[in-house]
Amino acid sequence: MSTEGAMSRSRLLPSLLGILLLLMGLALLAGGIKLSTLGGSLYYLLAGIGLALTGVLLIMARRAALGLYALVLFASTVWALWEVGLDWWQLVPRLAMLFALGIVMLLPWFRRPLLTPDASPMGSRALGAAVVIAGITALASQFTSPGEIKGQLDRDSVPGMTNTAPAMPDGDWNSYGRSAHGDRYSPLAQITPENVSKLEPAWTYRTGDLPGPNDPGETTAENTPLKVNGMLYVCTPHSQVIALEPETGKEIWRFDPKLSTQKAENFKGWAHMTCRGVTYHDDAVYTSAEQSPTGAASTTPASTVCPRRIFLPTADTRLIALNADTGKMCEDFGDKGQVDLTANIGGFTAGGYYSTSPPAVTQNLVVIGGHVTDNVSTDEPSGVIRAYDVHTGELVWNWDSGNPDDTTPIAEGQTYTRNSPNMWSMFAVDEKLGMLYLPMGNQTPDQFGGFRTPESEKYAAGLTALDIATGKVRWYFQFTHHDLWDMDVGGQPTLMDLKTADGVKPAVLASTKQGSIYVLDRSNGQPIVPIKEIPVPQGAVEGDFTSPTQPMSDLNFVPPVLEERDMWGVTPFDQMLCRIDFKSLRYEGMFTPPSLQGSIVYPGNFGVFDWGGISVDPVRQIAFVNPSYMAFKSKLVPAAEVAGGPGRKSETEGVQPNKGAPYGVILEALLSPMGLPCQAPAWGYVAAVDLTNNKTLWMHKNGTVRDSSPVPIPLSMGVPSLGGAFTTASGLAFLSGTLDQYLRAYDVKNGKQLWEGRLPAGAQTTPMTYTGKDGKQYVLVVAGGHGSLGTKQGDYVIAYKLPD
């Protein structure tokens, strides 16, 4: 082989890399020019020039390429440290690719064709130094934990504080939040921080309820089962109820309501198929003054047909009463066991109105709200709250926030106020105070409020306390004024007695999408933790307005305002595109108004906290929370252009029509071209709050990208979670709602993860715990996946226990 041929072949690799660097440089240069015209960073423009010139020099086999690349890598390292410091995941898109290419260029077989025997080695030495500096930076970042708080709770109890939730057997879980107080706290202590690592599956049951071809929308499994009456009660996305044996998972009975689709198969994308839970009622609890939560026996006679009953809300707008022992419909309730919830609400798009959450139940009433599909039109069903006689199904009172003072049962032929704010989440109940607590939504459409009524403005996006007996408003507190961001209150309010500097107070804690946890005296609605009105961005579209201020609690997990440097990606290229997207959108911090330009909504409409709520330990006086951080973007579309748009695919895809309003809206997560969040991780945490001083005890990123990245590598980046947690007297917390398929256990004192169990599907649910007849404590989770989040779907109910 000739010397010339050998030399030509040896230069092939540098030439190929040169072509690659030239193309990379041109791409960064083009994007950098765009970003700079938007007022963004000049780095990408300059780095693009540097990489392109390096590529040209490599193609020409010039040794100066090494020195120039060294300059690019060193400058990039300095720039990265200036922007984000020693944050590993922020450094990855800025330096990882450049670092790897630098190592390749240092290899002897790569450098040799570029150097003559008498060539100066300065270029390779400079590149070696730049690689070492970048490597040391990466290594140093492994010892930092940006965004995390390390701490330790130093107590097992607060003197004098006990669990004051309604009494039940320690081993039961008889309400969605375990008790009507929504505390998600169990007094069980058999499973402890010391032995939880030994947990193993006890049994698995498959419901058989999987997404079907004729489902009207996304199938989402969000159920928390009940354990009461010696059985487990599970509900499925298609509103089936299944009673299981708690110790074995053996099916005892099953009820299938035979859903009517209301022709909703013609309206795919308009509705969800979900059932968060059912509600249990036992007449014996209320006929005995000793057992009654109020301390007084009910004067209402017990049912001879169904003394113990399960109340089931269905996806086809019914409320059904079932015999809790047999699963048969209670013939004495409503029309042979069911009440038609379409009564008096007027017309609606198929699938656009039904109850996704369990009703509340008291000694003689079952009370229910309803889900109204967002952003369809300005003429949607009422958000009325209705109370029915627990035995007969007769309407006792109705509270319509559009007509709040008249709670007398509506007359036949009349219609509740159209489009009044609704309550789609879970109630909390204090029977001793005689109050129901309603986490309120808002009047649709969410992003345009120019047509809202004074009544809807008054009660929307806050907490309303109703008198149980009459439905009259006892007090209310609004958490978002003139909500234009879908900041409805999603989580079940949590009731507990709270030790304060002014003595023990009956508190209600409301977690919210914007990150504030509002702590009010539940007897009168007065703040226990200070709430301040803060100035917020102004400038709504024509025909609308913004509130000058918004209320923020001193107890909050509100994230810092996003900056361009917070934009993220796997490579410099998708990070650059995210930065271009960021600079192209309107963003002035939280509560930036929706716009025709497009606005960033951060926190997004999945919120910092959504329907999973929070869990409290009333004895230790702490709250266990799982905040998530995902930015969204909203863009208003003039009504004349809506018809020509891509159309609605779901509540977060396509153009939401908002028929009757001057604007439709496009709602999307702020994602990179690779489908990952544009803002830097972590996107999800677990944390604990000391409720005696409202300080965050500890906060750790939580979850991996194993089930949401193209390559299933369990990188611990901290991922969003949808669903809640529970805590136990032994000092444990359990959470399953993360985007990866795990149920995890944590030490509530320091947040250390003590155990995880791999699940066969997504578990965007709230797990629960109970004791079986065998005396064993079980931890149970429903793993069925979530259509909106795209997690793996299934039909699993899985129980864990310690080995025998």
Side-chain angles (χ1 to χ4, degrees):
M1 182 183 293
S2 68
T3 304
E4 183 178 343
M7 182 64 71
S8 176
R9 179 169 296 182
S10 67
R11 288 178 178 174
L12 177 61
L13 287 177
S15 297
L16 290 176
L17 183 59
I19 294 171
L20 177 62
L21 287 177
L22 175 60
L23 294 175
M24 290 171 57
L26 293 175
L28 289 179
L29 177 60
I33 292 172
K34 173 67 174 177
L35 183 59
S36 64
T37 61
L38 294 171
S41 172
L42 293 175
Y43 166 79
Y44 296 90
L45 187 155
L46 298 174
I49 294 172
L51 289 180
L53 290 176
T54 300
V56 170
L57 291 173
L58 283 175
I59 294 169
M60 297 171 62
R62 299 290 296 275
R63 63 180 181 269
L66 300 180
L68 180 57
Y69 191 82
L71 177 61
V72 172
L73 179 56
F74 177 74
S76 296
T77 303
V78 173
W79 168 75
L81 286 170
W82 173 72
E83 277 214 321
V84 299
L86 293 174
D87 184 336
W88 164 255
W89 287 114
Q90 285 268 46
L91 292 174
V92 165
R94 291 168 167 84
L95 295 179
M97 183 180 293
L98 297 179
F99 177 75
L101 291 174
I103 291 177
V104 170
M105 294 171 69
L106 282 175
L107 296 174
W109 50 263
F110 187 93
R111 288 186 292 116
R112 196 173 294 119
L114 304 179
L115 301 174
T116 59
D118 59 345
S120 169
M122 290 303 295
S124 58
R125 289 178 180 175
L127 180 55
V131 167
V132 168
I133 292 170
I136 291 173
T137 298
L139 182 63
S141 70
Q142 300 300 306
F143 300 97
T144 65
S145 302
E148 295 198 337
I149 299 172
K150 295 182 180 180
Q152 179 79 30
L153 180 68
D154 59 1
R155 62 174 184 262
D156 287 315
S157 65
V158 171
M161 302 310 297
T162 61
N163 182 13
T164 56
M168 73 180 81
D170 285 355
D172 277 5
W173 189 287
N174 71 7
S175 186
Y176 174 83
R178 185 173 185 269
S179 76
H181 282 196
D183 46 18
R184 282 166 283 280
Y185 169 78
S186 170
L188 297 182
Q190 188 179 109
I191 302 172
T192 68
E194 291 72 32
N195 63 26
V196 67
S197 62
K198 299 177 182 178
L199 273 186
E200 60 185 27
W203 54 260
T204 298
Y205 173 83
R206 300 196 66 174
T207 69
D209 189 346
L210 291 164
N214 293 321
D215 285 343
E218 296 165 337
T219 300
T220 61
E222 299 178 352
N223 175 234
T224 298
L226 307 183
K227 191 273 180 174
V228 65
N229 194 34
M231 303 184 205
L232 286 167
Y233 297 102
V234 177
C235 76
T236 72
H238 291 83
S239 307
Q240 296 179 28
V241 180
I242 305 165
L244 303 177
E245 188 176 84
E247 301 79 21
T248 66
K250 179 183 177 181
E251 183 176 313
I252 300 172
W253 58 255
R254 175 189 290 253
F255 173 78
D256 186 345
K258 306 295 183 184
L259 292 180
S260 161
T261 63
Q262 301 173 334
K263 297 183 179 179
E265 62 270 17
N266 298 322
F267 297 93
K268 285 185 179 292
W270 297 84
H272 291 280
M273 299 291 290
T274 192
C275 176
R276 292 191 183 90
V278 295
T279 305
Y280 177 77
H281 177 77
D282 186 349
D283 281 342
V285 171
Y286 292 97
T287 54
S288 164
E290 192 171 300
Q291 294 185 64
S292 173
T294 61
S298 171
T299 57
T300 304
S303 170
T304 58
V305 178
C306 291
R308 291 168 296 279
R309 54 187 67 196
I310 293 291
F311 287 102
L312 166 70
T314 70
D316 59 357
T317 328
R318 290 179 284 165
L319 176 61
I320 297 176
L322 302 175
N323 187 312
D325 298 331
T326 66
K328 304 296 183 183
M329 292 177 70
C330 297
E331 297 283 333
D332 60 348
F333 183 79
D335 181 10
K336 297 182 179 180
Q338 61 186 3
V339 168
D340 180 7
L341 297 177
T342 66
N344 305 99
I345 67 167
F348 60 94
T349 302
Y353 177 84
Y354 69 100
S355 295
T356 56
S357 299
V361 67
T362 67
Q363 65 178 20
N364 59 357
L365 296 175
V366 55
V367 190
I368 193 164
H371 158 89
V372 176
T373 303
D374 292 339
N375 301 321
V376 175
S377 76
T378 58
D379 184 27
E380 292 300 307
S382 173
V384 62
I385 308 298
R386 287 174 280 190
Y388 298 93
D389 186 284
V390 77
H391 295 127
T392 68
E394 179 184 358
L395 184 63
V396 176
W397 56 256
N398 37 230
W399 182 72
D400 175 0
S401 58
N403 183 25
D405 297 325
D406 186 4
T407 62
T408 304
I410 195 168
E412 186 176 349
Q414 292 187 346
T415 303
Y416 295 112
T417 307
R418 298 286 287 175
N419 212 34
S420 57
N422 66 320
M423 199 237 43
W424 55 267
S425 186
M426 285 67 64
F427 300 86
V429 184
D430 187 331
E431 291 192 304
K432 290 185 177 179
L433 288 177
M435 280 190 263
L436 286 163
Y437 301 91
L438 281 58
M440 293 295 295
N442 49 52
Q443 187 176 47
T444 187
D446 291 326
Q447 284 74 31
F448 179 79
F451 297 158
R452 293 178 186 167
T453 64
E455 292 79 12
S456 71
E457 293 280 64
K458 182 176 181 179
Y459 293 107
L463 196 63
T464 297
L466 300 183
D467 184 89
I468 292 176
T470 66
K472 297 287 187 181
V473 175
R474 296 272 288 269
W475 58 260
Y476 67 93
F477 199 105
Q478 189 170 73
F479 303 142
T480 304
H481 307 318
H482 193 64
D483 180 12
L484 301 176
W485 307 271
D486 191 21
M487 292 296 177
D488 44 6
V489 186
Q492 181 183 26
T494 298
L495 312 184
M496 67 180 295
D497 283 4
L498 197 61
K499 190 167 188 178
T500 74
D502 299 321
V504 177
K505 292 190 176 183
V508 54
L509 285 70
S511 57
T512 59
K513 292 181 178 181
Q514 64 265 41
S516 277
I517 299 176
Y518 298 92
V519 185
L520 309 175
D521 186 320
R522 68 177 185 267
S523 68
N524 55 29
Q526 295 301 305
I528 294 176
V529 174
I531 299 170
K532 300 180 178 68
E533 292 284 341
I534 60 169
V536 294
Q538 299 295 293
V541 293
E542 184 179 356
D544 206 348
F545 66 94
T546 51
S547 170
T549 62
Q550 294 289 351
M552 182 181 290
S553 172
D554 278 3
L555 172 53
N556 72 76
F557 286 83
V558 174
V561 173
L562 288 175
E563 298 183 45
E564 182 196 334
R565 67 182 62 187
D566 297 316
M567 295 301 100
W568 190 76
V570 176
T571 69
F573 306 102
D574 51 323
Q575 182 183 47
M576 177 182 67
L577 292 174
C578 279
R579 294 173 86 128
I580 291 172
D581 203 9
F582 177 83
K583 297 297 289 187
S584 300
L585 296 165
R586 182 181 178 188
Y587 180 66
E588 298 153 40
M590 190 163 66
F591 300 115
T592 299
S595 63
L596 294 166
Q597 171 188 351
S599 297
I600 291 178
V601 185
Y602 186 63
N605 64 346
F606 271 178
V608 176
F609 304 109
D610 204 345
W611 54 263
I614 63 174
S615 174
V616 298
D617 182 329
V619 179
R620 292 181 175 87
Q621 293 278 287
I622 63 171
F624 181 91
V625 301
N626 53 308
S628 295
Y629 299 99
M630 281 282 291
F632 275 65
K633 54 185 178 181
S634 67
K635 182 178 181 180
L636 297 178
V637 180
E641 300 175 19
V642 170
R648 177 183 173 120
K649 297 179 182 178
S650 73
E651 286 187 293
T652 55
E653 293 182 282
V655 178
Q656 315 297 309
N658 292 347
K659 185 178 179 181
Y663 305 98
V665 66
I666 299 173
L667 299 171
E668 300 173 305
L670 184 62
L671 301 178
S672 75
M674 298 185 71
L676 293 171
C678 266
Q679 96 264 9
W683 306 300
Y685 294 84
V686 287
V689 177
D690 186 340
L691 295 173
T692 65
N693 58 21
N694 305 315
K695 303 294 185 184
T696 300
L697 287 162
W698 51 260
M699 183 169 172
H700 304 307
K701 63 183 179 182
N702 184 54
T704 73
V705 295
R706 172 174 176 172
D707 298 303
S708 51
S709 63
V711 181
I713 301 175
L715 299 174
S716 299
M717 299 176 71
V719 296
S721 54
L722 188 62
F726 73 84
T727 52
T728 70
S730 66
L732 289 172
F734 287 84
L735 175 70
S736 68
T738 50
L739 294 187
D740 56 350
Q741 295 164 204
Y742 289 96
L743 170 65
R744 293 183 170 94
Y746 313 85
D747 188 327
V748 300
K749 288 189 174 182
N750 54 32
K752 181 181 178 181
Q753 181 180 309
L754 302 175
W755 171 84
E756 65 181 17
R758 180 70 174 162
L759 301 173
Q764 282 64 58
T765 57
T766 302
M768 50 83 75
T769 188
Y770 63 90
T771 300
K773 292 178 183 177
D774 55 4
K776 294 283 188 177
Q777 181 184 353
Y778 293 78
V779 175
L780 183 139
V781 65
V782 173
H786 198 281
S788 296
L789 296 179
T791 55
K792 183 179 178 181
Q793 297 195 298
D795 62 342
Y796 300 89
V797 183
I798 306 173
Y800 297 84
K801 69 174 183 177
L802 296 173
D804 294 331

